[in-house]
Amino acid sequence: MTINKIYDSPAAAVADVPDGSSVSIAGFGMTHSFPTSLTVALREQGARRLCIVANSLGTGDYRSNTLIENHQVNRLIVSFSARAGEAKSAAEQQIEAGEITVELVPQGTLVERLRAGGAGIGAFFTRTGVGTAIAEGKEVRTIDGVDHILEYGLKVDYALIRAARADRFGNLQFTGVGRNFMPAFAKGAKVTVAEVDEIVDGTLDPEAIGVPGVFVDRVVRRTVEVPHDFPAPRAGRGADSARTYHGKPALTRRQMAELAAGLVPDGSYMNLGLGIPTLISNYVEGRDIVLHSENGVLGYGMIATREDYDPEVYNAGGQYVHLRPGASFFESVTSFEMVRGGRVGFVALGGFQVDGQANLANWSTPDMIGGGIGGAMDLVAGDTTVMVLMTHCDSAGRPKLVKDCDFPLTGLACVNIVVTDLGVLRWDGTRFALEYIAPGFTAEEVAALTELELDTSQVQWQS
């Protein structure tokens, strides 16, 4: 019999998904790389009591969140159940009401668990999440002098993924950062269904295949057209916005990013996380700094404009970016290998709190239902210099540099540098030393707006 994995429609491809199934649905951020046609078909098919495994749930009528809005889900295994500053989603409402249970998993651990499940590996130890809420109730083992937690391989009933093109053998090809979660999700499922833009007449070039057909059971052409969303900054959080302290303007987010870029030496590999750190990419042009993004790109640069962007090239914040010479694309498993394995020398992250023990909290606040771990726990678990960019105080005027974090921790004793809108602080092994002060402010003013006892004798420069 000739192998032919092509199905006539998305509806036919998900017709046999029964109630109570576990379904992994790929997709990055709020809008990117989601198998929208298959998700809509599953909504219309109506299977209930689903366990959805995903990085994020997305937004709108075409992404994973639509299944929750249709009350088809009773369990989530995700990296994001909520996002700071966003209106309460259907997922948060149903979690709060007890209709959905949620297990939050760091992004790198999620793809590694699915890869392991598909590879027949029962469990593995990882440094990611040690000392945080993620580690509660899990076995801890010290390996080479470092604590690791035990994580189990994850196998699901169905995976819904997306690719650029396929052939009848189920071989898949991707463009840009489109492969991100797809290989791991495909490997971790009993039945993998791929939605593609094009089904070729014949076969794909073997050298160009991103997922071999052995991992793919069904292929269907995309039927739901979803326009590309161009991300816009939220009100009051534009790159040129600035907070005011004691009646004086602090640094803008753009100035913070430029300042942070100047702290990184040429020849460095650097990961940029969500929020203010994404702006750093505008300040590496002409420098020998290679930027890494957890969604699977190495060697990108400036943020693109609405008039000049490639919808298949975006950063960890979902912003479209331009590539630089020497760029490469890869899947998420490989992406996190680069960081945890010590290949990426600098990581820049946003933060809610940093405390006097160099601990970081950046994924959940008291008003969030669950939270958004994303890849941050993986990013701080490697042998890397961690730089946190955040405003000195929150919108209510409360310090973000605190004696002890009272928000859930992202990592223990992991922060090396903090860049705020009032200055630069560097961890010396026992406390933070202030080495730069924003124009118009004094060391005493900066110190007074923290809960920490800062070393203010090390100030090196002030603009």
Side-chain angles (χ1 to χ4, degrees):
M1 178 181 291
T2 301
I3 293 177
N4 187 351
K5 298 182 178 181
I6 300 171
Y7 274 59
D8 291 336
S9 68
V14 300
D16 63 345
V17 177
D19 292 350
S21 296
S22 55
V23 184
S24 61
I25 303 179
F28 191 87
M30 302 299 284
T31 61
H32 297 291
S33 302
F34 284 84
T36 53
S37 305
L38 290 170
T39 305
V40 169
L42 185 57
R43 181 188 66 198
E44 294 174 352
Q45 189 256 33
R48 301 282 165 174
R49 302 191 309 280
L50 299 175
C51 171
I52 298 300
V53 178
N55 172 56
S56 56
L57 301 171
T59 187
D61 295 333
Y62 308 106
R63 302 173 182 100
S64 309
N65 199 53
T66 191
L67 301 173
I68 295 170
E69 292 173 341
N70 202 36
H71 295 274
Q72 293 176 247
V73 179
N74 67 2
R75 187 182 178 202
L76 293 172
I77 302 175
V78 294
S79 298
F80 289 89
S81 66
R83 292 177 183 266
E86 300 287 347
K88 188 178 291 187
S89 67
E92 292 175 89
Q93 294 170 8
Q94 292 179 40
I95 293 167
E96 190 173 35
E99 299 172 30
I100 292 178
T101 61
V102 61
E103 176 185 355
L104 289 171
V105 184
Q107 191 178 113
T109 298
L110 180 66
V111 291
E112 198 68 35
R113 287 180 64 190
L114 286 161
R115 186 200 67 80
I121 297 173
F124 58 90
F125 283 95
T126 178
R127 295 162 62 175
T128 300
V130 170
T132 75
I134 298 303
E136 293 177 2
K138 296 177 181 176
E139 179 182 343
V140 178
R141 185 174 299 183
T142 303
I143 302 172
D144 294 333
V146 179
D147 283 348
H148 292 65
I149 61 176
L150 182 67
E151 296 283 3
Y152 288 92
L154 179 61
K155 192 85 172 175
V156 300
D157 298 318
Y158 294 83
L160 309 184
I161 66 173
R162 178 175 175 174
R165 55 192 60 86
D167 59 23
R168 66 178 177 86
F169 296 95
N171 295 313
L172 303 181
Q173 185 178 359
F174 301 92
T175 56
V177 295
R179 74 197 64 204
N180 47 67
F181 301 112
M182 310 306 165
F185 277 45
K187 293 171 185 178
K190 297 174 185 176
V191 177
T192 296
V193 188
E195 169 184 324
V196 299
D197 299 330
E198 176 189 2
I199 299 175
V200 302
D201 184 11
T203 60
L204 293 173
D205 176 1
E207 297 281 2
I209 291 171
V211 172
V214 69
F215 294 114
V216 179
D217 300 281
R218 303 169 187 177
V219 173
V220 64
R221 191 187 303 275
R222 176 169 55 90
T223 57
V224 173
E225 298 285 344
V226 181
H228 295 118
D229 294 328
F230 197 90
R234 288 180 294 194
R237 297 194 181 186
D240 294 309
S241 64
R243 290 228 166 112
T244 299
Y245 303 94
H246 301 311
K248 296 178 288 187
L251 298 175
T252 67
R253 286 164 167 77
R254 197 185 304 278
Q255 290 170 323
M256 291 169 62
E258 185 176 12
L259 180 61
L263 301 175
V264 181
D266 282 359
S268 298
Y269 289 91
M270 184 180 194
N271 173 277
L272 302 183
L274 302 177
I276 301 172
T278 62
L279 296 171
I280 292 174
S281 67
N282 286 337
Y283 300 99
V284 300
E285 291 299 311
R287 298 190 58 196
D288 191 20
I289 295 175
V290 181
L291 297 182
H292 168 277
S293 185
E294 63 201 58
N295 55 306
V297 58
L298 189 67
Y300 70 95
M302 295 186 69
I303 296 172
T305 65
R306 187 182 297 273
E307 293 72 35
D308 180 24
Y309 73 96
D310 182 341
E312 301 300 332
V313 182
Y314 48 87
N315 63 17
Q319 299 161 308
Y320 300 111
V321 291
H322 293 299
L323 296 179
R324 301 179 73 192
S328 59
F329 300 118
F330 36 85
E331 64 159 313
S332 292
V333 169
T334 301
S335 184
F336 286 107
E337 288 172 344
M338 295 176 182
V339 179
R340 291 194 307 261
R343 301 285 182 168
V344 177
F346 286 81
V347 166
L349 297 170
F352 297 147
Q353 292 178 328
V354 173
D355 71 17
Q357 294 76 50
N359 300 323
L360 170 66
N362 81 340
W363 65 271
S364 187
T365 62
D367 59 342
M368 295 171 69
I369 308 300
I373 292 174
M377 286 188 183
D378 302 277
L379 295 173
V380 303
D383 295 321
T384 184
T385 297
V386 175
M387 180 189 299
V388 175
L389 284 77
M390 62 184 186
T391 55
H392 209 78
C393 297
D394 66 17
S395 58
R398 295 168 297 206
K400 289 189 174 184
L401 288 157
V402 297
K403 183 177 180 181
D404 296 292
C405 290
D406 53 16
F407 293 174
L409 291 181
T410 302
L412 294 175
C414 61
V415 180
N416 304 102
I417 301 170
V418 179
V419 178
T420 79
D421 49 357
L422 292 182
V424 175
L425 305 95
R426 195 179 297 266
W427 180 250
D428 66 7
T430 58
R431 59 178 174 170
F432 281 102
L434 183 64
E435 65 177 39
Y436 166 81
I437 305 170
F441 291 87
T442 66
E444 292 72 24
E445 286 176 315
V446 174
L449 290 169
T450 80
E451 294 180 1
L452 306 180
E453 292 186 10
L454 301 181
D455 178 359
T456 60
S457 68
Q458 306 297 315
V459 177
Q460 299 176 20
W461 81 101
Q462 181 173 15
S463 298

